[in-house]
Amino acid sequence: GVAHGSHPNDVAALRAMRRLLDFLPSSNDKSTMPIKDITDPGDRLLPALEHLVPDDPNTPYDMKDVIQQVVDHGDLFEIMPDSAQNIVTAFARMEGETV
């Protein structure tokens, strides 16, 4: 099988699962999507982006840093962070909604 998470102990694993479930709906009905209060305005200025993304398209940069700048409060829950490190698969929120 494939493990999507590795945690040092049961408590850490349960906390991670609770955090994951916080992003997911309680059923397949869209009305059950967990929407949080908007406390991080979507129209905020992000001057750090000017420095995070290099002008040269051949220069590598950490996409996670960019994502953390644009999502609500920099909260990014990555799925399988140790696998395929050239791809970011994660849950986050923008304007309170799960993305």
Side-chain angles (χ1 to χ4, degrees):
V2 176
H4 284 70
S6 174
H7 305 281
N9 57 51
D10 291 350
V11 173
L14 289 171
R15 284 187 179 141
M17 288 303 94
R18 290 183 81 176
R19 188 153 180 247
L20 171 63
L21 291 174
D22 189 48
F23 288 101
L24 302 176
S26 59
S27 73
N28 66 347
D29 183 356
K30 284 188 175 188
S31 68
T32 65
M33 282 299 290
I35 299 175
K36 303 293 182 180
D37 291 335
I38 300 171
T39 58
D40 199 359
D43 62 350
R44 68 191 181 281
L45 297 178
L46 301 169
L49 289 181
E50 293 180 24
H51 306 289
L52 289 174
V53 179
D55 292 331
D56 180 2
N58 295 317
T59 302
Y61 61 96
D62 191 346
M63 192 64 198
K64 291 178 206 171
D65 293 338
V66 175
I67 295 169
Q68 287 175 326
Q69 286 293 314
V70 298
V71 300
D72 292 353
H73 302 288
D75 186 23
L76 180 70
F77 182 78
E78 195 170 357
I79 308 298
M80 298 176 68
D82 299 324
S83 299
Q85 297 197 7
N86 59 333
I87 298 173
V88 179
T89 306
F91 288 97
R93 285 194 177 79
M94 296 181 83
E95 295 186 1
E97 297 191 34
T98 299
V99 292

